[in-house]
Coordinates of all heavy atoms in Angstrom, one line a residue:
M253 N 26.8 -32.0 12.1 CA 25.5 -31.5 11.9 C 25.1 -31.5 10.5 O 25.9 -31.1 9.6 CB 25.4 -30.1 12.5 CG 24.1 -29.5 12.5 SD 23.9 -28.0 13.4 CE 23.6 -28.7 15.0
S254 N 24.0 -32.0 10.2 CA 23.6 -32.1 8.8 C 22.6 -31.1 8.3 O 22.1 -30.3 9.1 CB 23.0 -33.5 8.5 OG 21.8 -33.6 9.3
V255 N 22.3 -31.1 7.0 CA 21.4 -30.1 6.5 C 20.0 -30.4 6.8 O 19.1 -29.5 6.9 CB 21.6 -30.0 5.0 CG1 20.7 -29.0 4.3 CG2 23.0 -29.7 4.6
T256 N 19.7 -31.7 7.2 CA 18.3 -32.0 7.5 C 17.8 -31.3 8.7 O 16.6 -31.1 8.8 CB 18.2 -33.6 7.7 OG1 19.1 -34.0 8.7 CG2 18.6 -34.3 6.4
I257 N 18.6 -30.9 9.6 CA 18.2 -30.2 10.8 C 17.6 -28.9 10.4 O 16.6 -28.4 11.0 CB 19.3 -30.0 11.8 CG1 18.8 -29.5 13.2 CG2 20.4 -29.0 11.3 CD1 18.3 -30.6 14.0
I258 N 18.1 -28.2 9.3 CA 17.5 -27.0 8.8 C 16.1 -27.2 8.3 O 15.2 -26.4 8.6 CB 18.4 -26.4 7.8 CG1 19.8 -26.0 8.4 CG2 17.8 -25.1 7.1 CD1 20.8 -25.6 7.4
F259 N 15.9 -28.3 7.6 CA 14.6 -28.6 7.1 C 13.6 -29.0 8.2 O 12.4 -28.6 8.1 CB 14.7 -29.7 6.0 CG 15.4 -29.4 4.8 CD1 16.5 -30.1 4.4 CD2 15.0 -28.3 4.0 CE1 17.2 -29.7 3.2 CE2 15.7 -27.9 2.9 CZ 16.8 -28.6 2.5
K260 N 14.1 -29.6 9.2 CA 13.2 -30.0 10.3 C 12.8 -28.7 11.1 O 11.6 -28.5 11.4 CB 14.0 -30.9 11.3 CG 14.1 -32.3 10.9 CD 14.9 -33.1 12.0 CE 15.1 -34.5 11.6 NZ 15.8 -35.2 12.6
I261 N 13.7 -27.8 11.3 CA 13.4 -26.5 11.9 C 12.4 -25.7 11.1 O 11.5 -25.1 11.6 CB 14.7 -25.7 12.2 CG1 15.5 -26.4 13.3 CG2 14.4 -24.3 12.7 CD1 16.9 -25.9 13.4
A262 N 12.6 -25.7 9.8 CA 11.7 -25.0 8.9 C 10.3 -25.6 8.9 O 9.3 -24.9 9.0 CB 12.2 -24.9 7.5
A263 N 10.2 -26.9 8.9 CA 8.9 -27.6 9.0 C 8.2 -27.3 10.3 O 7.0 -27.0 10.3 CB 9.1 -29.1 8.8
V264 N 8.9 -27.4 11.4 CA 8.3 -27.1 12.7 C 7.9 -25.6 12.7 O 6.8 -25.3 13.2 CB 9.3 -27.4 13.8 CG1 8.8 -26.8 15.1 CG2 9.5 -28.8 14.0
G265 N 8.6 -24.7 12.2 CA 8.3 -23.3 12.2 C 7.0 -23.1 11.4 O 6.1 -22.3 11.8
I266 N 6.9 -23.7 10.2 CA 5.7 -23.6 9.4 C 4.5 -24.1 10.1 O 3.4 -23.5 10.1 CB 5.9 -24.2 8.0 CG1 6.9 -23.4 7.2 CG2 4.6 -24.3 7.2 CD1 7.4 -24.1 6.0
V267 N 4.6 -25.3 10.6 CA 3.5 -25.9 11.3 C 3.0 -25.1 12.5 O 1.8 -24.9 12.7 CB 3.8 -27.4 11.7 CG1 2.7 -28.0 12.6 CG2 4.0 -28.3 10.5
I268 N 4.0 -24.7 13.3 CA 3.7 -23.9 14.5 C 3.0 -22.6 14.1 O 2.0 -22.2 14.8 CB 4.9 -23.7 15.3 CG1 5.5 -25.0 15.9 CG2 4.7 -22.7 16.5 CD1 4.5 -25.7 16.9
S269 N 3.5 -21.9 13.1 CA 2.9 -20.6 12.7 C 1.5 -20.8 12.2 O 0.6 -20.0 12.5 CB 3.8 -19.9 11.7 OG 3.8 -20.7 10.5
V270 N 1.2 -21.9 11.4 CA -0.1 -22.1 10.9 C -1.1 -22.4 12.1 O -2.2 -21.8 12.2 CB -0.1 -23.2 9.9 CG1 -1.5 -23.7 9.6 CG2 0.6 -22.8 8.6
L271 N -0.7 -23.3 13.0 CA -1.5 -23.7 14.1 C -1.7 -22.5 15.0 O -2.8 -22.3 15.6 CB -0.9 -24.8 14.8 CG -0.9 -26.2 14.1 CD1 -0.2 -27.2 14.9 CD2 -2.4 -26.6 13.8
S272 N -0.7 -21.7 15.2 CA -0.8 -20.5 16.0 C -1.8 -19.5 15.5 O -2.6 -18.9 16.2 CB 0.6 -19.8 16.2 OG 0.5 -18.7 17.0
Q273 N -1.8 -19.3 14.2 CA -2.7 -18.4 13.6 C -4.2 -18.9 13.7 O -5.1 -18.1 13.9 CB -2.4 -18.2 12.1 CG -1.2 -17.3 11.9 CD -1.3 -15.9 12.4 OE1 -2.4 -15.3 12.2 NE2 -0.3 -15.4 13.0
I274 N -4.3 -20.2 13.5 CA -5.7 -20.8 13.7 C -6.2 -20.6 15.1 O -7.3 -20.2 15.4 CB -5.6 -22.3 13.3 CG1 -5.4 -22.5 11.8 CG2 -6.9 -23.0 13.8 CD1 -5.2 -23.9 11.4
L275 N -5.3 -20.8 16.1 CA -5.7 -20.6 17.5 C -6.0 -19.1 17.8 O -6.9 -18.8 18.5 CB -4.6 -21.1 18.4 CG -4.5 -22.7 18.5 CD1 -3.2 -23.1 19.3 CD2 -5.7 -23.2 19.2
K276 N -5.2 -18.2 17.3 CA -5.4 -16.8 17.5 C -6.7 -16.3 16.9 O -7.4 -15.5 17.6 CB -4.3 -16.0 16.9 CG -3.0 -16.0 17.8 CD -1.9 -15.1 17.2 CE -0.7 -15.2 18.0 NZ 0.4 -14.4 17.5
H277 N -7.1 -16.8 15.7 CA -8.3 -16.4 15.1 C -9.6 -17.0 15.8 O -10.7 -16.5 15.7 CB -8.3 -16.7 13.6 CG -7.5 -15.8 12.8 ND1 -7.7 -14.5 12.6 CD2 -6.3 -16.1 12.2 CE1 -6.8 -14.0 11.9 NE2 -5.9 -14.9 11.6
S278 N -9.3 -18.1 16.5 CA -10.5 -18.7 17.3 C -10.6 -18.1 18.7 O -11.4 -18.6 19.5 CB -10.3 -20.2 17.3 OG -9.2 -20.6 18.0
G279 N -9.7 -17.2 19.0 CA -9.8 -16.5 20.3 C -9.0 -17.2 21.4 O -9.3 -17.0 22.6
R280 N -8.1 -18.1 21.1 CA -7.3 -18.8 22.1 C -5.8 -18.4 22.1 O -4.9 -19.1 21.7 CB -7.4 -20.3 21.8 CG -8.8 -20.8 22.0 CD -8.8 -22.3 21.7 NE -10.2 -22.8 22.0 CZ -10.5 -24.0 21.8 NH1 -9.6 -24.9 21.5 NH2 -11.7 -24.4 22.1
E281 N -5.6 -17.1 22.5 CA -4.3 -16.6 22.4 C -3.3 -17.2 23.4 O -2.1 -17.4 23.1 CB -4.3 -15.1 22.7 CG -4.9 -14.2 21.6 CD -6.4 -14.2 21.6 OE1 -7.0 -14.5 22.7 OE2 -7.0 -13.7 20.6
E282 N -3.8 -17.7 24.5 CA -2.9 -18.3 25.5 C -2.4 -19.7 25.0 O -1.2 -20.0 25.1 CB -3.7 -18.6 26.8 CG -4.1 -17.3 27.6 CD -5.4 -16.8 27.1 OE1 -6.1 -17.5 26.3 OE2 -5.7 -15.6 27.5
Q283 N -3.3 -20.4 24.3 CA -2.9 -21.7 23.8 C -1.9 -21.5 22.6 O -1.0 -22.3 22.4 CB -4.0 -22.5 23.3 CG -4.8 -23.2 24.4 CD -5.9 -22.3 25.0 OE1 -6.1 -21.2 24.5 NE2 -6.6 -22.7 26.0
A284 N -2.1 -20.4 21.8 CA -1.2 -20.1 20.7 C 0.2 -19.7 21.3 O 1.2 -20.2 20.7 CB -1.8 -18.9 19.9
F285 N 0.2 -19.0 22.4 CA 1.5 -18.7 23.0 C 2.2 -19.9 23.5 O 3.4 -20.1 23.3 CB 1.3 -17.7 24.1 CG 2.6 -17.4 24.9 CD1 3.6 -16.7 24.4 CD2 2.7 -18.0 26.1 CE1 4.7 -16.4 25.1 CE2 3.9 -17.8 26.9 CZ 4.9 -17.0 26.3
L286 N 1.5 -20.8 24.1 CA 2.1 -22.1 24.6 C 2.5 -23.0 23.5 O 3.6 -23.6 23.6 CB 1.1 -22.8 25.5 CG 0.8 -22.1 26.9 CD1 -0.3 -22.9 27.6 CD2 2.0 -22.0 27.7
L287 N 1.8 -23.0 22.4 CA 2.2 -23.7 21.2 C 3.5 -23.2 20.7 O 4.4 -24.0 20.3 CB 1.1 -23.7 20.2 CG 1.4 -24.5 18.9 CD1 1.4 -26.0 19.2 CD2 0.4 -24.2 17.9
S288 N 3.6 -21.9 20.6 CA 4.9 -21.3 20.1 C 6.0 -21.6 21.0 O 7.2 -21.9 20.6 CB 4.7 -19.8 20.0 OG 3.7 -19.5 19.0
L289 N 5.8 -21.5 22.3 CA 6.8 -21.8 23.3 C 7.3 -23.3 23.2 O 8.5 -23.6 23.3 CB 6.3 -21.5 24.7 CG 7.3 -21.6 25.9 CD1 8.4 -20.6 25.7 CD2 6.6 -21.4 27.2
A290 N 6.3 -24.2 23.0 CA 6.6 -25.6 22.8 C 7.5 -25.8 21.6 O 8.4 -26.6 21.6 CB 5.4 -26.4 22.8
G291 N 7.2 -25.1 20.5 CA 7.9 -25.2 19.3 C 9.4 -24.7 19.5 O 10.3 -25.4 19.0
L292 N 9.5 -23.7 20.2 CA 10.8 -23.1 20.5 C 11.7 -24.1 21.3 O 12.8 -24.3 21.1 CB 10.7 -21.8 21.2 CG 12.0 -21.2 21.7 CD1 12.8 -20.7 20.5 CD2 11.7 -20.0 22.6
I293 N 11.0 -24.7 22.3 CA 11.7 -25.7 23.2 C 12.2 -26.9 22.4 O 13.3 -27.4 22.5 CB 10.8 -26.1 24.4 CG1 10.7 -24.9 25.3 CG2 11.4 -27.3 25.1 CD1 9.7 -25.1 26.4
I294 N 11.3 -27.4 21.5 CA 11.6 -28.5 20.6 C 12.9 -28.2 19.7 O 13.8 -29.0 19.7 CB 10.5 -28.9 19.7 CG1 9.4 -29.6 20.6 CG2 10.9 -29.9 18.6 CD1 8.1 -29.8 19.9
V295 N 12.9 -27.0 19.1 CA 14.0 -26.6 18.3 C 15.2 -26.5 19.1 O 16.3 -26.9 18.7 CB 13.6 -25.4 17.5 CG1 14.8 -24.8 16.8 CG2 12.5 -25.7 16.5
L296 N 15.1 -25.9 20.3 CA 16.3 -25.8 21.1 C 16.9 -27.1 21.5 O 18.1 -27.3 21.6 CB 16.0 -25.0 22.4 CG 15.9 -23.5 22.2 CD1 15.4 -22.8 23.5 CD2 17.2 -22.9 21.7
F297 N 16.1 -28.1 21.8 CA 16.6 -29.5 22.1 C 17.3 -30.0 20.9 O 18.2 -30.9 21.1 CB 15.4 -30.4 22.5 CG 15.1 -30.4 24.0 CD1 13.9 -30.0 24.4 CD2 16.1 -30.7 24.9 CE1 13.6 -30.0 25.7 CE2 15.8 -30.6 26.2 CZ 14.5 -30.3 26.7
W298 N 17.0 -29.7 19.7 CA 17.7 -30.1 18.5 C 19.0 -29.4 18.3 O 20.0 -30.0 17.8 CB 16.8 -30.0 17.2 CG 15.7 -30.9 17.1 CD1 15.5 -32.1 17.8 CD2 14.5 -30.8 16.3 NE1 14.3 -32.6 17.5 CE2 13.7 -31.9 16.6 CE3 14.1 -29.8 15.4 CZ2 12.5 -32.0 15.9 CZ3 12.9 -30.0 14.8 CH2 12.1 -31.1 15.0
I299 N 19.0 -28.1 18.6 CA 20.2 -27.3 18.3 C 21.3 -27.3 19.4 O 22.5 -27.3 19.1 CB 19.7 -25.8 18.1 CG1 18.9 -25.7 16.8 CG2 20.9 -24.9 18.1 CD1 18.4 -24.4 16.5
V300 N 20.9 -27.5 20.7 CA 21.9 -27.4 21.8 C 23.0 -28.4 21.6 O 24.2 -28.1 21.8 CB 21.2 -27.5 23.1 CG1 22.1 -27.7 24.3 CG2 20.4 -26.2 23.4
P301 N 22.7 -29.7 21.3 CA 23.8 -30.6 21.1 C 24.8 -30.2 20.0 O 26.0 -30.4 20.2 CB 23.2 -32.0 20.7 CG 21.8 -31.8 21.3 CD 21.4 -30.4 21.2
G302 N 24.3 -29.6 19.0 CA 25.2 -29.1 17.9 C 26.1 -28.0 18.4 O 27.3 -27.9 18.0
I303 N 25.5 -27.1 19.1 CA 26.3 -26.0 19.7 C 27.3 -26.5 20.7 O 28.5 -26.0 20.7 CB 25.4 -24.9 20.3 CG1 24.5 -24.3 19.3 CG2 26.1 -23.9 21.1 CD1 23.4 -23.4 19.8
S304 N 27.0 -27.4 21.5 CA 27.9 -28.0 22.4 C 29.1 -28.7 21.6 O 30.2 -28.5 22.0 CB 27.2 -29.1 23.3 OG 28.1 -29.8 24.1
E305 N 28.8 -29.4 20.6 CA 29.8 -30.0 19.8 C 30.7 -29.0 19.1 O 31.9 -29.2 19.1 CB 29.1 -30.9 18.7 CG 30.1 -31.6 17.8 CD 29.4 -32.3 16.7 OE1 28.2 -32.7 16.8 OE2 30.0 -32.6 15.6
L306 N 30.1 -27.9 18.7 CA 30.9 -26.8 18.1 C 31.9 -26.2 19.1 O 33.1 -26.0 18.8 CB 30.0 -25.7 17.6 CG 30.7 -24.4 17.1 CD1 31.5 -24.7 15.9 CD2 29.6 -23.3 16.9
F307 N 31.4 -26.0 20.4 CA 32.3 -25.4 21.4 C 33.4 -26.4 21.8 O 34.6 -26.0 22.0 CB 31.5 -25.0 22.6 CG 30.8 -23.7 22.5 CD1 29.5 -23.6 22.9 CD2 31.5 -22.6 21.9 CE1 28.8 -22.4 22.7 CE2 30.8 -21.4 21.8 CZ 29.5 -21.3 22.2
Q308 N 33.1 -27.7 21.8 CA 34.1 -28.7 22.1 C 35.2 -28.8 21.0 O 36.4 -28.9 21.3 CB 33.5 -30.1 22.3 CG 32.7 -30.2 23.6 CD 32.0 -31.5 23.7 OE1 32.0 -32.3 22.8 NE2 31.3 -31.7 24.8
T309 N 34.7 -28.7 19.8 CA 35.7 -28.7 18.6 C 36.6 -27.4 18.7 O 37.8 -27.5 18.4 CB 34.9 -28.7 17.3 OG1 34.0 -29.8 17.3 CG2 35.8 -28.7 16.1
M310 N 36.0 -26.3 19.0 CA 36.8 -25.1 19.1 C 37.8 -25.1 20.2 O 38.9 -24.6 20.1 CB 35.9 -23.8 19.1 CG 35.1 -23.6 17.9 SD 34.3 -22.1 17.8 CE 35.6 -20.9 17.9
E311 N 37.3 -25.7 21.3 CA 38.2 -25.9 22.5 C 39.4 -26.7 22.1 O 40.6 -26.4 22.5 CB 37.5 -26.5 23.7 CG 38.3 -26.6 24.9 CD 37.5 -27.2 26.1 OE1 36.4 -27.7 25.8 OE2 38.0 -27.1 27.2
T312 N 39.2 -27.8 21.5 CA 40.3 -28.7 21.1 C 41.2 -28.1 20.0 O 42.4 -28.3 19.9 CB 39.8 -30.1 20.6 OG1 38.9 -29.9 19.5 CG2 39.1 -30.8 21.7
L313 N 40.6 -27.3 19.2 CA 41.3 -26.6 18.1 C 42.3 -25.6 18.6 O 43.4 -25.4 18.2 CB 40.3 -26.0 17.1 CG 40.9 -25.3 15.9 CD1 41.6 -26.2 15.0 CD2 39.9 -24.5 15.1
F314 N 41.8 -24.8 19.6 CA 42.6 -23.7 20.2 C 43.3 -24.0 21.5 O 43.8 -23.1 22.1 CB 41.7 -22.5 20.4 CG 41.2 -21.9 19.1 CD1 39.9 -21.9 18.7 CD2 42.1 -21.3 18.2 CE1 39.4 -21.3 17.6 CE2 41.7 -20.8 17.0 CZ 40.3 -20.8 16.7
T315 N 43.4 -25.3 21.8 CA 44.1 -25.7 23.0 C 45.6 -25.5 22.7 O 46.2 -26.0 21.8 CB 43.8 -27.2 23.3 OG1 42.5 -27.3 23.5 CG2 44.6 -27.6 24.6
M316 N 46.2 -24.8 23.7 CA 47.7 -24.5 23.5 C 48.4 -25.4 24.5 O 48.5 -25.1 25.7 CB 47.9 -23.1 23.8 CG 47.3 -22.1 22.8 SD 48.5 -20.9 22.6 CE 48.1 -20.2 21.1
E317 N 49.0 -26.4 24.0 CA 49.8 -27.3 24.9 C 51.2 -27.4 24.4 O 51.5 -27.3 23.3 CB 49.1 -28.7 24.9 CG 47.8 -28.7 25.6 CD 47.2 -30.1 25.8 OE1 47.9 -31.0 25.6 OE2 46.0 -30.1 26.1

């Protein structure tokens, strides 16, 4: 896992928060919520493979054979 994933997550967070604030001030709270949910799902799709890799590494590390 590289450091660029952190920058990607930060960029998505900034963009989502700005767009969410714009939508909230224009009276579209439902769309702002859906936008935040979509941002969360995008970030989870980026993070889940890294977490899976971490658990596989720990499983091989602590395998007692």
